[in-house]
mmCIF file of all heavy atoms in Angstrom:
data_model
loop_
_atom_site.group_PDB
_atom_site.id
_atom_site.type_symbol
_atom_site.label_atom_id
_atom_site.label_comp_id
_atom_site.label_asym_id
_atom_site.label_seq_id
_atom_site.Cartn_x
_atom_site.Cartn_y
_atom_site.Cartn_z
ATOM 1 N N TYR A 672 26.191 -134.852 124.858
ATOM 2 C CA TYR A 672 26.134 -134.126 123.595
ATOM 3 C C TYR A 672 27.224 -134.471 122.656
ATOM 4 O O TYR A 672 26.964 -134.735 121.514
ATOM 5 C CB TYR A 672 26.045 -132.666 123.850
ATOM 6 C CG TYR A 672 25.958 -131.774 122.535
ATOM 7 C CD1 TYR A 672 24.692 -131.733 121.951
ATOM 8 C CD2 TYR A 672 27.060 -131.246 121.953
ATOM 9 C CE1 TYR A 672 24.572 -130.933 120.759
ATOM 10 C CE2 TYR A 672 26.816 -130.456 120.900
ATOM 11 C CZ TYR A 672 25.571 -130.345 120.246
ATOM 12 O OH TYR A 672 25.448 -129.650 119.081
ATOM 13 N N SER A 673 28.439 -134.549 123.179
ATOM 14 C CA SER A 673 29.604 -134.941 122.326
ATOM 15 C C SER A 673 29.515 -136.455 121.852
ATOM 16 O O SER A 673 29.936 -136.719 120.735
ATOM 17 C CB SER A 673 30.862 -134.598 122.965
ATOM 18 O OG SER A 673 31.139 -135.486 124.057
ATOM 19 N N MET A 674 29.046 -137.207 122.668
ATOM 20 C CA MET A 674 28.731 -138.673 122.252
ATOM 21 C C MET A 674 27.785 -138.663 121.146
ATOM 22 O O MET A 674 28.033 -139.439 120.168
ATOM 23 C CB MET A 674 28.182 -139.510 123.445
ATOM 24 C CG MET A 674 29.139 -139.776 124.448
ATOM 25 S SD MET A 674 28.480 -140.525 125.923
ATOM 26 C CE MET A 674 27.657 -141.981 125.190
ATOM 27 N N ILE A 675 26.827 -137.899 121.146
ATOM 28 C CA ILE A 675 25.757 -137.933 120.060
ATOM 29 C C ILE A 675 26.308 -137.264 118.805
ATOM 30 O O ILE A 675 26.126 -137.775 117.722
ATOM 31 C CB ILE A 675 24.435 -137.106 120.600
ATOM 32 C CG1 ILE A 675 23.850 -137.946 121.709
ATOM 33 C CG2 ILE A 675 23.520 -136.927 119.447
ATOM 34 C CD1 ILE A 675 22.674 -137.193 122.359
ATOM 35 N N THR A 676 26.952 -136.150 118.912
ATOM 36 C CA THR A 676 27.419 -135.342 117.764
ATOM 37 C C THR A 676 28.763 -135.775 117.136
ATOM 38 O O THR A 676 28.901 -135.791 115.960
ATOM 39 C CB THR A 676 27.427 -133.814 118.024
ATOM 40 O OG1 THR A 676 28.379 -133.597 119.033
ATOM 41 C CG2 THR A 676 26.147 -133.381 118.323
ATOM 42 N N GLU A 677 29.627 -136.276 117.969
ATOM 43 C CA GLU A 677 30.934 -136.566 117.436
ATOM 44 C C GLU A 677 31.318 -138.049 117.649
ATOM 45 O O GLU A 677 32.257 -138.511 117.044
ATOM 46 C CB GLU A 677 31.989 -135.800 118.320
ATOM 47 C CG GLU A 677 31.787 -134.292 118.284
ATOM 48 C CD GLU A 677 32.613 -133.465 119.177
ATOM 49 O OE1 GLU A 677 33.557 -134.185 119.899
ATOM 50 O OE2 GLU A 677 32.436 -132.380 119.396
ATOM 51 N N GLY A 678 30.575 -138.768 118.301
ATOM 52 C CA GLY A 678 30.797 -140.202 118.508
ATOM 53 C C GLY A 678 30.479 -141.037 117.362
ATOM 54 O O GLY A 678 29.850 -140.690 116.292
ATOM 55 N N LYS A 679 30.922 -142.315 117.438
ATOM 56 C CA LYS A 679 30.575 -143.268 116.478
ATOM 57 C C LYS A 679 29.035 -143.727 116.544
ATOM 58 O O LYS A 679 28.476 -143.613 117.500
ATOM 59 C CB LYS A 679 31.485 -144.620 116.710
ATOM 60 C CG LYS A 679 32.877 -144.297 116.478
ATOM 61 C CD LYS A 679 33.593 -145.657 116.799
ATOM 62 C CE LYS A 679 35.126 -145.437 116.640
ATOM 63 N NZ LYS A 679 35.869 -146.643 116.995
ATOM 64 N N ARG A 680 28.571 -144.085 115.368
ATOM 65 C CA ARG A 680 27.215 -144.494 115.379
ATOM 66 C C ARG A 680 27.154 -145.821 116.064
ATOM 67 O O ARG A 680 27.999 -146.647 116.007
ATOM 68 C CB ARG A 680 26.730 -144.679 113.986
ATOM 69 C CG ARG A 680 26.635 -143.377 113.281
ATOM 70 C CD ARG A 680 26.058 -143.584 111.918
ATOM 71 N NE ARG A 680 24.664 -143.731 112.082
ATOM 72 C CZ ARG A 680 23.631 -143.550 111.169
ATOM 73 N NH1 ARG A 680 23.969 -143.241 110.012
ATOM 74 N NH2 ARG A 680 22.422 -143.760 111.439
ATOM 75 N N GLY A 681 26.007 -146.020 116.824
ATOM 76 C CA GLY A 681 25.902 -147.326 117.537
ATOM 77 C C GLY A 681 25.034 -147.045 118.779
ATOM 78 O O GLY A 681 24.330 -146.078 118.956
ATOM 79 N N ILE A 682 25.152 -148.004 119.732
ATOM 80 C CA ILE A 682 24.351 -147.892 120.866
ATOM 81 C C ILE A 682 25.265 -147.754 122.050
ATOM 82 O O ILE A 682 26.329 -148.348 122.238
ATOM 83 C CB ILE A 682 23.520 -149.304 121.067
ATOM 84 C CG1 ILE A 682 22.627 -149.507 119.929
ATOM 85 C CG2 ILE A 682 22.874 -149.389 122.398
ATOM 86 C CD1 ILE A 682 21.932 -150.949 119.902
ATOM 87 N N TYR A 683 24.848 -146.763 122.844
ATOM 88 C CA TYR A 683 25.678 -146.482 124.032
ATOM 89 C C TYR A 683 24.774 -147.043 125.284
ATOM 90 O O TYR A 683 23.580 -146.784 125.384
ATOM 91 C CB TYR A 683 25.893 -144.981 124.274
ATOM 92 C CG TYR A 683 26.774 -144.403 123.205
ATOM 93 C CD1 TYR A 683 26.363 -143.741 122.003
ATOM 94 C CD2 TYR A 683 28.155 -144.488 123.329
ATOM 95 C CE1 TYR A 683 27.065 -143.311 121.065
ATOM 96 C CE2 TYR A 683 28.916 -143.917 122.456
ATOM 97 C CZ TYR A 683 28.468 -143.364 121.310
ATOM 98 O OH TYR A 683 29.389 -142.863 120.308
ATOM 99 N N VAL A 684 25.480 -147.636 126.225
ATOM 100 C CA VAL A 684 24.798 -148.032 127.437
ATOM 101 C C VAL A 684 25.301 -147.075 128.507
ATOM 102 O O VAL A 684 26.470 -147.065 128.868
ATOM 103 C CB VAL A 684 25.076 -149.507 127.766
ATOM 104 C CG1 VAL A 684 24.460 -149.899 129.090
ATOM 105 C CG2 VAL A 684 24.659 -150.471 126.590
ATOM 106 N N LEU A 685 24.265 -146.418 129.103
ATOM 107 C CA LEU A 685 24.583 -145.524 130.273
ATOM 108 C C LEU A 685 23.985 -146.173 131.524
ATOM 109 O O LEU A 685 22.903 -146.426 131.773
ATOM 110 C CB LEU A 685 23.945 -144.241 130.030
ATOM 111 C CG LEU A 685 24.258 -143.441 128.871
ATOM 112 C CD1 LEU A 685 23.517 -142.138 128.695
ATOM 113 C CD2 LEU A 685 25.730 -143.096 128.785
ATOM 114 N N GLY A 686 24.922 -146.389 132.493
ATOM 115 C CA GLY A 686 24.586 -147.095 133.702
ATOM 116 C C GLY A 686 24.220 -145.971 134.749
ATOM 117 O O GLY A 686 25.011 -144.971 134.847
ATOM 118 N N PHE A 687 23.226 -146.161 135.557
ATOM 119 C CA PHE A 687 22.926 -145.343 136.603
ATOM 120 C C PHE A 687 22.722 -146.210 137.863
ATOM 121 O O PHE A 687 22.177 -147.223 137.829
ATOM 122 C CB PHE A 687 21.583 -144.687 136.322
ATOM 123 C CG PHE A 687 21.622 -143.687 135.039
ATOM 124 C CD1 PHE A 687 21.097 -144.075 133.879
ATOM 125 C CD2 PHE A 687 22.198 -142.429 135.212
ATOM 126 C CE1 PHE A 687 21.296 -143.282 132.732
ATOM 127 C CE2 PHE A 687 22.334 -141.596 134.057
ATOM 128 C CZ PHE A 687 21.839 -141.993 132.885
ATOM 129 N N PRO A 688 23.163 -145.581 139.120
ATOM 130 C CA PRO A 688 23.118 -146.315 140.228
ATOM 131 C C PRO A 688 21.645 -146.630 140.704
ATOM 132 O O PRO A 688 21.389 -147.550 141.510
ATOM 133 C CB PRO A 688 23.912 -145.592 141.332
ATOM 134 C CG PRO A 688 23.828 -144.158 140.661
ATOM 135 C CD PRO A 688 23.745 -144.263 139.231
ATOM 136 N N ASN A 689 20.743 -145.750 140.316
ATOM 137 C CA ASN A 689 19.341 -146.000 140.839
ATOM 138 C C ASN A 689 18.374 -145.145 139.914
ATOM 139 O O ASN A 689 18.840 -144.444 139.115
ATOM 140 C CB ASN A 689 19.164 -145.649 142.311
ATOM 141 C CG ASN A 689 19.647 -144.152 142.648
ATOM 142 O OD1 ASN A 689 19.438 -143.211 141.780
ATOM 143 N ND2 ASN A 689 20.244 -143.897 143.772
ATOM 144 N N ASN A 690 17.111 -145.328 140.122
ATOM 145 C CA ASN A 690 16.058 -144.735 139.283
ATOM 146 C C ASN A 690 16.079 -143.258 139.506
ATOM 147 O O ASN A 690 15.765 -142.469 138.610
ATOM 148 C CB ASN A 690 14.779 -145.294 139.619
ATOM 149 C CG ASN A 690 14.476 -146.545 138.973
ATOM 150 O OD1 ASN A 690 15.200 -146.916 137.987
ATOM 151 N ND2 ASN A 690 13.530 -147.397 139.308
ATOM 152 N N GLU A 691 16.373 -142.725 140.751
ATOM 153 C CA GLU A 691 16.391 -141.250 140.977
ATOM 154 C C GLU A 691 17.356 -140.537 140.064
ATOM 155 O O GLU A 691 17.201 -139.534 139.499
ATOM 156 C CB GLU A 691 16.527 -140.949 142.445
ATOM 157 C CG GLU A 691 15.414 -141.324 143.308
ATOM 158 C CD GLU A 691 15.328 -142.678 143.715
ATOM 159 O OE1 GLU A 691 16.378 -143.474 143.653
ATOM 160 O OE2 GLU A 691 14.222 -143.169 144.141
ATOM 161 N N VAL A 692 18.539 -141.203 139.974
ATOM 162 C CA VAL A 692 19.731 -140.572 139.139
ATOM 163 C C VAL A 692 19.148 -140.564 137.710
ATOM 164 O O VAL A 692 19.437 -139.593 137.029
ATOM 165 C CB VAL A 692 21.016 -141.282 139.419
ATOM 166 C CG1 VAL A 692 22.132 -140.807 138.402
ATOM 167 C CG2 VAL A 692 21.480 -141.237 140.869
ATOM 168 N N ARG A 693 18.744 -141.694 137.197
ATOM 169 C CA ARG A 693 18.299 -141.792 135.801
ATOM 170 C C ARG A 693 17.167 -140.861 135.515
ATOM 171 O O ARG A 693 17.203 -140.154 134.572
ATOM 172 C CB ARG A 693 17.824 -143.280 135.539
ATOM 173 C CG ARG A 693 17.248 -143.448 134.150
ATOM 174 C CD ARG A 693 16.668 -144.734 133.921
ATOM 175 N NE ARG A 693 15.689 -145.197 134.807
ATOM 176 C CZ ARG A 693 14.469 -144.802 134.648
ATOM 177 N NH1 ARG A 693 13.997 -144.024 133.748
ATOM 178 N NH2 ARG A 693 13.556 -145.195 135.652
ATOM 179 N N LYS A 694 16.154 -140.697 136.431
ATOM 180 C CA LYS A 694 15.157 -139.870 136.141
ATOM 181 C C LYS A 694 15.640 -138.337 136.265
ATOM 182 O O LYS A 694 15.106 -137.397 135.573
ATOM 183 C CB LYS A 694 13.963 -139.915 137.212
ATOM 184 C CG LYS A 694 13.237 -141.302 137.059
ATOM 185 C CD LYS A 694 12.282 -141.458 138.042
ATOM 186 C CE LYS A 694 11.541 -142.747 138.006
ATOM 187 N NZ LYS A 694 10.654 -143.033 139.122
ATOM 188 N N GLY A 695 16.578 -138.028 137.131
ATOM 189 C CA GLY A 695 17.067 -136.698 137.217
ATOM 190 C C GLY A 695 17.851 -136.270 135.989
ATOM 191 O O GLY A 695 17.797 -135.232 135.433
ATOM 192 N N PHE A 696 18.581 -137.200 135.541
ATOM 193 C CA PHE A 696 19.411 -137.069 134.265
ATOM 194 C C PHE A 696 18.467 -136.869 133.164
ATOM 195 O O PHE A 696 18.665 -136.005 132.175
ATOM 196 C CB PHE A 696 20.335 -138.194 133.970
ATOM 197 C CG PHE A 696 21.074 -138.150 132.707
ATOM 198 C CD1 PHE A 696 22.113 -137.324 132.522
ATOM 199 C CD2 PHE A 696 20.692 -138.899 131.522
ATOM 200 C CE1 PHE A 696 22.883 -137.141 131.393
ATOM 201 C CE2 PHE A 696 21.326 -138.643 130.368
ATOM 202 C CZ PHE A 696 22.324 -137.805 130.095
ATOM 203 N N ALA A 697 17.373 -137.700 133.055
ATOM 204 C CA ALA A 697 16.540 -137.478 131.880
ATOM 205 C C ALA A 697 15.737 -136.137 131.953
ATOM 206 O O ALA A 697 15.570 -135.577 130.937
ATOM 207 C CB ALA A 697 15.486 -138.725 131.866
ATOM 208 N N ASP A 698 15.470 -135.728 133.201
ATOM 209 C CA ASP A 698 14.750 -134.419 133.347
ATOM 210 C C ASP A 698 15.797 -133.267 132.950
ATOM 211 O O ASP A 698 15.286 -132.388 132.177
ATOM 212 C CB ASP A 698 14.370 -134.234 134.710
ATOM 213 C CG ASP A 698 13.515 -132.985 134.973
ATOM 214 O OD1 ASP A 698 12.459 -132.687 134.313
ATOM 215 O OD2 ASP A 698 13.953 -132.122 135.830
ATOM 216 N N CYS A 699 17.012 -133.451 133.330
ATOM 217 C CA CYS A 699 17.960 -132.341 132.868
ATOM 218 C C CYS A 699 18.181 -132.342 131.452
ATOM 219 O O CYS A 699 18.209 -131.249 130.823
ATOM 220 C CB CYS A 699 19.276 -132.710 133.686
ATOM 221 S SG CYS A 699 20.665 -131.690 133.128
ATOM 222 N N LEU A 700 18.406 -133.446 130.832
ATOM 223 C CA LEU A 700 18.602 -133.583 129.400
ATOM 224 C C LEU A 700 17.372 -132.998 128.602
ATOM 225 O O LEU A 700 17.566 -132.316 127.610
ATOM 226 C CB LEU A 700 18.896 -135.067 129.062
ATOM 227 C CG LEU A 700 19.398 -135.203 127.610
ATOM 228 C CD1 LEU A 700 20.615 -134.507 127.394
ATOM 229 C CD2 LEU A 700 19.583 -136.742 127.226
ATOM 230 N N SER A 701 16.172 -133.317 129.010
ATOM 231 C CA SER A 701 14.963 -132.878 128.264
ATOM 232 C C SER A 701 14.956 -131.323 128.395
ATOM 233 O O SER A 701 14.543 -130.609 127.458
ATOM 234 C CB SER A 701 13.686 -133.513 128.779
ATOM 235 O OG SER A 701 13.488 -133.114 130.144
ATOM 236 N N LYS A 702 15.198 -130.734 129.572
ATOM 237 C CA LYS A 702 15.195 -129.330 129.730
ATOM 238 C C LYS A 702 16.229 -128.666 128.933
ATOM 239 O O LYS A 702 16.004 -127.581 128.381
ATOM 240 C CB LYS A 702 15.288 -128.954 131.238
ATOM 241 C CG LYS A 702 14.292 -129.486 132.143
ATOM 242 C CD LYS A 702 13.733 -128.403 132.975
ATOM 243 C CE LYS A 702 12.685 -128.876 133.969
ATOM 244 N NZ LYS A 702 11.512 -129.511 133.473
ATOM 245 N N ARG A 703 17.380 -129.233 128.838
ATOM 246 C CA ARG A 703 18.482 -128.729 128.011
ATOM 247 C C ARG A 703 18.113 -128.672 126.557
ATOM 248 O O ARG A 703 18.303 -127.782 125.769
ATOM 249 C CB ARG A 703 19.718 -129.548 128.274
ATOM 250 C CG ARG A 703 21.003 -129.003 127.557
ATOM 251 C CD ARG A 703 21.932 -128.194 128.389
ATOM 252 N NE ARG A 703 23.000 -127.906 127.672
ATOM 253 C CZ ARG A 703 24.177 -127.942 128.231
ATOM 254 N NH1 ARG A 703 24.302 -128.228 129.491
ATOM 255 N NH2 ARG A 703 25.331 -127.517 127.587
ATOM 256 N N ILE A 704 17.446 -129.812 126.108
ATOM 257 C CA ILE A 704 17.088 -129.874 124.682
ATOM 258 C C ILE A 704 15.958 -128.836 124.346
ATOM 259 O O ILE A 704 16.009 -128.176 123.395
ATOM 260 C CB ILE A 704 16.584 -131.360 124.240
ATOM 261 C CG1 ILE A 704 17.847 -132.228 124.362
ATOM 262 C CG2 ILE A 704 15.916 -131.412 123.044
ATOM 263 C CD1 ILE A 704 17.492 -133.691 124.306
ATOM 264 N N ALA A 705 15.090 -128.769 125.341
ATOM 265 C CA ALA A 705 13.998 -127.705 125.129
ATOM 266 C C ALA A 705 14.494 -126.306 125.017
ATOM 267 O O ALA A 705 14.025 -125.532 124.366
ATOM 268 C CB ALA A 705 12.980 -127.872 126.200
ATOM 269 N N LYS A 706 15.426 -126.136 125.912
ATOM 270 C CA LYS A 706 16.150 -124.731 125.984
ATOM 271 C C LYS A 706 16.746 -124.368 124.617
ATOM 272 O O LYS A 706 16.843 -123.285 124.142
ATOM 273 C CB LYS A 706 17.155 -124.831 127.094
ATOM 274 C CG LYS A 706 17.838 -123.448 127.236
ATOM 275 C CD LYS A 706 18.881 -123.586 128.508
ATOM 276 C CE LYS A 706 19.914 -122.542 128.270
ATOM 277 N NZ LYS A 706 20.848 -122.678 129.432
ATOM 278 N N GLU A 707 17.433 -125.402 124.026
ATOM 279 C CA GLU A 707 18.100 -125.150 122.717
ATOM 280 C C GLU A 707 17.041 -124.896 121.521
ATOM 281 O O GLU A 707 17.559 -124.484 120.450
ATOM 282 C CB GLU A 707 19.071 -126.295 122.362
ATOM 283 C CG GLU A 707 20.242 -126.306 123.373
ATOM 284 C CD GLU A 707 21.169 -127.555 123.082
ATOM 285 O OE1 GLU A 707 20.960 -128.341 122.071
ATOM 286 O OE2 GLU A 707 22.241 -127.722 123.835
ATOM 287 N N LYS A 708 15.925 -125.427 121.693
ATOM 288 C CA LYS A 708 14.942 -125.210 120.581
ATOM 289 C C LYS A 708 14.387 -123.839 120.523
ATOM 290 O O LYS A 708 14.410 -123.133 121.288
ATOM 291 C CB LYS A 708 13.831 -126.253 120.673
ATOM 292 C CG LYS A 708 14.276 -127.690 120.379
ATOM 293 C CD LYS A 708 13.168 -128.611 120.361
ATOM 294 C CE LYS A 708 13.663 -130.098 120.029
ATOM 295 N NZ LYS A 708 12.516 -130.928 119.950
#
Side-chain angles (χ1 to χ4, degrees):
Y672 181 78
S673 69
M674 286 172 55
I675 293 169
T676 59
E677 301 168 11
K679 296 179 182 178
R680 295 186 73 162
I682 298 172
Y683 293 98
V684 178
L685 302 173
F687 296 100
N689 55 39
N690 282 340
E691 286 81 19
V692 174
R693 179 183 53 80
K694 290 176 185 176
F696 175 76
D698 184 56
C699 173
L700 190 60
S701 67
K702 297 231 186 298
R703 179 99 177 223
I704 291 170
K706 181 178 158 184
E707 291 179 2
K708 289 185 177 181

